[in-house]
Amino acid sequence: MRPPYQELLEVCILPLVDRVSVFDFFTGMGKTLFDKVWERHLINLEGHPAAPKPDENRHLIYIDLHLIHEVTSPQAFDGLRLSGRQVRRPERTFATMDHNVPTKDRDKPVKDPISARQMEYLKKNCEEFGITLYDLNSYNQGIVHVIGPELGLTLPGKTIVCGDSHTSTHGAFGALAFGIGTSEVEHVLATQCLVQARPKTMRVNFKGKLPKGVYAKDMVLALIGKIGTAGATGYVIEYAGEAIEALSMEGRMTICNMSIEAGARAGMVAPDEKTFAYIKDRPYSPRGAGWDKALAWWKTLKSDPDAKFDAEVEIDCSSLTPQVTWGTSPGMVAGIAEKIPELASAPDEVTRSSWQKALAYMDLAAGQKITDIKIDKVFIGSCTNSRIEDLREAAAYVRNRKKAPSVKTVIVVPGSHRVKEQAEAEGLDKIFIAAGFEWREPGCSMCLAMNDDVLEPGERCASTSNRNFEGRQGKGSRTYLVSPAMATLAAIYGHFVDAREEA
Amino acid sequence: MKPYEPVVSHIAPLDMANVDTDQIIPKNFLKRIERTGFGAFLFYDWRFKADGSENPDFSLNKPEHKNARILVTRDNFGCGSSREHAPWALLDYGFQVIIAPSFADIFYNNCFQNGILPITLDSMTVDSIFSMVKENPALQFTVDLENQQIKPAGKPAIPFEIAPNLKEKLLKGLDDIGWTLQFADRIEAYEKALEV
Ligand code: SF4
């Protein structure tokens, strides 16, 4: 699907911008946050006989932190063994198990023998290569993008990679963080570096204040709806503006998390006092003199006032409404008060046919009201929305009510052990359980349904995760992406309702 | 990785935008710990019906499109998860060349790690390839990377662009790790200078 916006970008904006940036190069204009982090991590290849030519756009960048999990790493370790290579800096890689771990009966052996084998393999690989692993029973276990920040591994200005596309989450701290494939996982293990083309930069300015009942998830869904799922392909996005500054770190993570759903390589937010307060005294964050030194540098990590971006997008948050996806791609999204668009309003033929296909799959009709969509199950969790703030947001909407009888199950899956513990300390688990929701052990769970948490064919699920692809939550499953507030209300009413009315 | 050799084949059409990696290789098949054997599961939920029999309506299952080594599709192919199982499955099934108006970033990179050539062409040209295939599904195309062109038998060649280093990587079957390790002293110098 080519969003109309992209046309504008390519035809009107980009040609202009290119000229401007060449000009900037000679006049020494300001740098973006991305430029600052990128340039700090470039390996100097100048004068080396094998160095790429200047016009090749091929760079070697140093990777500060590498996170791995059970699904995308086994073949990388095999590759190392085959070529007799070692892990260059084992202390810079951390492993956890999240993708296919069970979220209940953790004291029993893992039922699915193939999942168990994958986890066993990760354990063996970590032992062999000297990598720290937070396994199923570790206090530090959780979804890789939840534990990185909460352990203080994720810090401003770092380069962070993981064999998982939602690595962009860590950009909320002003890190340059992105997902890589398994061959690149092997590359980082062997060299602690990556070969990269320098991406372009886009700034998304979220101006104004969010209305009550509208959250970070709605901001990012609205952005994807506006620029399309390929709208930011080739770019690193910097999120800025009043509404971003007002967000908690959890909210910023939600937005950076879904950068990939807009096609972006990464998303970033300049670190500020909230960032520093979040990081302070985490298990791996620097201490004492190390902290002071780091902090001085972190404070420089923001785009200079005269920095130029290759593209700029603006979204007015004061008029934003709760968002609900109705199709099979995150860009197929509408406001809660809207209707599913008519096919005739599609901008082009390819879009029209993908809408048509999506509506058939979702068993919905064009023109149908979003509030009329009935829900069978609800999933509150995933690396997008499973942090403490997300759970507080969900719990706040329960208000002593119970899930609707028509809703079969509601599962709440905290992002990590630490989140789970915190939520229990605040009594959130009790609120959920009293409402008839299930309170589970941490993991990816129904975000990709690799464990037992799977939808039946045809079931409709209000989900706080990030992808509504065909079959994502089980064969024939129908996913509606929403904020934790909207998911909770859907659980209580059995259909979508406007969170603004209950805020 | 084997060096890329010109591919001569008919083209299989997949007329859909935003084909995501969850469709290319559904997650139930990600639990293998090998790199091989994923072809059997390519587009599994589209290729097969619930009872496991082949879905005759799915484009790749049509007899005239079978055994194609070139796939033509629409915008944003390979979006979604970073799973390299997607290119592994495509390659294992037999596809060496994929033509689309745009590709998702990580998928695009992953292709080059595995000897698959992703070709980006403007939508109009992709449209005309779809029409050629529709008119004559048996039409043979030669994808010549060296000269950066797709040559339909008996018709004018279609040129394409590709970054020189990526082209070289495929043509020589180069391995990124080997390339990077040439700079081991530079990496060490970086680590020393920044005390990392
Ligand atoms: S929660 Fe979902 S998107 Fe996030 S890492 Fe796990 S599977 Fe990937």
Side-chain angles (χ1 to χ4, degrees):
Chain A
M1 188 180 358
R2 270 176 81 80
Y5 164 78
Q6 191 157 343
E7 209 82 45
L8 184 78
L9 198 72
E10 282 168 12
V11 181
C12 314
I13 306 175
L14 288 186
L16 273 179
V17 170
D18 276 348
R19 247 172 289 152
V20 177
S21 49
V22 171
F23 177 72
D24 292 347
F25 183 76
F26 291 108
T27 54
M29 292 281 266
K31 292 185 192 310
T32 64
L33 164 62
F34 163 79
D35 294 335
K36 293 180 186 180
V37 179
W38 171 266
E39 285 163 16
R40 170 129 170 161
H41 290 87
L42 284 175
I43 304 284
N44 181 5
L45 305 182
E46 231 169 87
H48 194 288
K53 291 175 213 79
D55 61 347
E56 261 184 63
N57 193 14
R58 186 188 198 191
H59 307 275
L60 197 58
I61 64 165
Y62 195 77
I63 301 302
D64 295 321
L65 174 66
H66 184 204
L67 302 168
I68 58 174
H69 61 81
E70 74 276 26
V71 178
T72 56
S73 68
Q75 296 87 351
F77 285 107
D78 278 350
L80 285 184
R81 269 189 288 266
L82 268 176
S83 48
R85 286 173 177 143
Q86 284 300 314
V87 175
R88 183 181 169 88
R89 300 290 300 268
E91 78 285 6
R92 290 189 166 264
T93 296
F94 288 81
T96 191
M97 300 171 172
D98 55 2
H99 278 65
N100 55 27
V101 302
T103 58
K104 50 183 182 190
D105 304 329
R106 282 271 180 95
D107 43 343
K108 304 201 185 98
V110 176
K111 267 192 289 175
D112 173 7
I114 322 178
S115 294
R117 175 164 161 249
Q118 223 169 29
M119 289 184 241
E120 197 40 52
Y121 217 69
L122 179 63
K123 201 162 164 210
K124 200 182 111 219
N125 284 329
C126 288
E127 276 164 12
E128 180 179 339
F129 290 96
I131 291 167
T132 304
L133 165 71
Y134 298 127
D135 72 3
L136 213 49
N137 300 310
S138 162
Y139 181 62
N140 289 340
Q141 182 264 342
I143 305 175
V144 62
H145 310 312
V146 176
I147 67 166
E150 78 183 3
L151 293 178
L153 288 166
T154 302
L155 296 174
K158 270 192 178 179
T159 43
I160 304 175
V161 296
C162 172
D164 185 284
S165 57
H166 291 100
T167 309
S168 57
T169 313
H170 308 261
F173 292 80
L176 174 61
F178 51 89
I180 55 177
T182 298
S183 297
E184 290 171 310
V185 170
E186 184 181 336
H187 192 283
V188 176
L189 288 172
T191 69
Q192 204 55 43
C193 289
L194 264 184
V195 185
Q196 288 284 298
R198 186 180 185 130
K200 293 176 281 184
T201 55
M202 175 188 286
R203 175 162 57 193
V204 177
N205 182 21
F206 283 103
K207 59 174 207 175
K209 279 199 181 63
L210 277 182
K212 273 205 153 50
V214 185
Y215 298 91
K217 184 66 163 283
D218 303 306
M219 290 164 69
V220 71
L221 285 173
L223 170 69
I224 299 162
K226 178 169 174 154
I227 70 174
T229 47
T233 301
Y235 290 87
V236 166
I237 302 178
E238 178 175 341
Y239 300 102
E242 192 187 342
I244 293 289
E245 286 161 25
L247 284 179
S248 64
M249 290 315 296
E250 284 87 348
R252 295 177 191 177
M253 283 190 254
T254 300
I255 294 189
C256 288
N257 174 278
M258 289 193 71
S259 303
I260 185 79
E261 271 65 52
R265 188 102 184 104
M268 300 175 90
V269 174
D272 60 9
E273 290 305 322
K274 274 186 200 170
T275 320
F276 309 142
Y278 181 101
I279 302 166
K280 195 139 182 44
D281 297 327
R282 302 257 165 196
Y284 285 96
S285 27
R287 281 170 217 287
W291 171 266
D292 297 337
K293 190 174 158 215
L295 189 64
W297 178 50
W298 294 342
K299 287 188 169 163
T300 67
L301 293 177
K302 49 180 167 234
S303 293
D304 297 331
D306 55 347
K308 284 276 186 312
F309 291 81
D310 299 311
E312 299 248 17
V313 178
E314 194 165 273
I315 291 191
D316 179 9
C317 290
S318 58
S319 57
L320 266 192
T321 62
Q323 304 283 305
V324 180
T325 64
W326 49 264
T328 52
S329 157
M332 298 176 185
V333 63
I336 180 70
E338 293 172 39
K339 292 179 177 157
I340 294 170
E342 298 292 344
L343 294 180
S345 69
D348 54 62
E349 184 48 38
V350 176
T351 309
R352 202 192 66 84
S353 84
S354 49
W355 283 6
Q356 194 167 24
K357 194 167 162 282
L359 288 177
Y361 180 85
M362 299 295 285
D363 188 27
L364 293 172
Q368 199 173 334
K369 276 164 64 183
I370 298 288
T371 45
D372 286 347
I373 299 171
K374 298 224 171 12
I375 291 303
D376 301 304
K377 285 185 179 163
V378 176
F379 169 59
I380 299 173
S382 89
C383 59
T384 314
N385 284 124
S386 65
R387 297 179 184 82
I388 188 67
E389 172 131 332
D390 303 308
L391 302 183
R392 286 182 194 141
E393 176 189 319
Y397 282 86
V398 173
R399 298 195 194 119
N400 291 320
R401 293 177 285 187
K402 290 212 177 321
K403 71 167 182 67
S406 59
V407 173
K408 289 179 236 171
T409 49
V410 180
I411 61 172
V412 186
V413 186
S416 69
H417 270 296
R418 286 168 188 262
V419 170
K420 182 170 184 255
E421 196 178 70
Q422 172 76 26
E424 288 172 356
E426 295 179 20
L428 304 182
D429 57 326
K430 298 210 174 58
I431 297 179
F432 293 130
I433 293 166
F437 300 4
E438 292 175 29
W439 178 244
R440 298 286 188 88
E441 299 290 334
C444 294
S445 179
M446 210 189 270
C447 173
L448 90 166
M450 265 182 91
N451 65 356
D452 290 342
D453 307 332
V454 183
L455 295 179
E456 297 298 319
E459 279 183 341
R460 299 177 193 277
C461 179
S463 177
T464 66
S465 54
N466 44 50
R467 288 191 175 132
N468 52 350
F469 298 153
E470 273 186 34
R472 172 83 177 179
Q473 298 188 300
K475 198 171 162 124
S477 61
R478 299 177 175 139
T479 305
Y480 300 85
L481 303 176
V482 288
S483 68
M486 290 288 287
T488 307
L489 289 171
I492 288 165
Y493 286 88
H495 61 89
F496 289 114
V497 296
D498 192 336
R500 289 173 302 172
E501 288 165 13
E502 300 247 347
Chain B
M1 218 165 67
K2 271 191 264 143
Y4 177 93
E5 307 258 345
V7 169
V8 184
S9 161
H10 56 294
I11 294 186
L14 186 62
D15 196 354
M16 277 183 253
N18 294 309
V19 173
D20 57 76
T21 51
D22 277 73
Q23 303 315 324
I24 298 173
I25 178 89
K27 73 228 154 212
N28 8 347
F29 308 113
L30 300 185
K31 291 178 183 171
R32 298 170 59 83
I33 51 176
E34 300 83 19
R35 260 173 208 260
T36 49
F38 287 99
F41 314 119
L42 180 75
F43 298 121
Y44 192 88
D45 292 342
W46 288 340
R47 260 169 69 205
F48 301 101
K49 295 203 235 173
D51 61 6
S53 65
E54 250 190 32
N55 170 8
D57 299 332
F58 183 58
S59 177
L60 299 195
N61 287 341
K62 305 235 158 97
E64 64 272 29
H65 300 321
K66 287 228 161 156
N67 302 321
R69 298 187 58 211
I70 310 169
L71 184 73
V72 61
T73 180
R74 299 289 185 186
D75 258 310
N76 204 23
F77 186 79
C79 60
S81 122
S82 63
R83 60 186 74 157
E84 202 160 312
H85 311 67
W88 295 337
L90 286 157
L91 194 66
D92 197 51
Y93 183 86
F95 290 120
Q96 182 123 40
V97 178
I98 305 168
I99 303 170
S102 65
F103 292 90
D105 214 23
I106 304 179
F107 176 83
Y108 190 76
N109 277 338
N110 281 342
C111 283
F112 288 97
Q113 308 287 355
N114 293 284
I116 295 181
L117 170 61
I119 300 177
T120 314
L121 289 172
D122 62 278
S123 311
M124 245 158 71
T125 309
V126 170
D127 270 344
S128 61
I129 294 177
F130 269 105
S131 320
M132 282 188 247
V133 173
K134 197 165 180 193
E135 215 168 275
N136 175 13
L139 184 64
Q140 295 289 299
F141 292 75
T142 305
V143 181
D144 175 357
L145 175 57
E146 182 80 58
N147 297 306
Q148 294 181 213
Q149 58 179 30
I150 305 169
K151 176 95 185 60
K155 295 183 198 258
I158 303 163
F160 64 86
E161 297 291 326
I162 182 168
N165 62 308
L166 295 177
K167 173 176 173 179
E168 189 194 340
K169 187 170 154 59
L170 285 189
L171 284 176
K172 298 195 177 149
L174 294 180
D175 156 20
D176 268 354
I177 299 181
W179 184 81
T180 300
L181 286 175
Q182 303 175 87
F183 303 107
D185 55 331
R186 301 299 180 100
I187 301 171
E188 225 157 89
Y190 176 92
E191 286 173 329
K192 282 222 180 81
L194 281 174
E195 295 170 27
V196 291

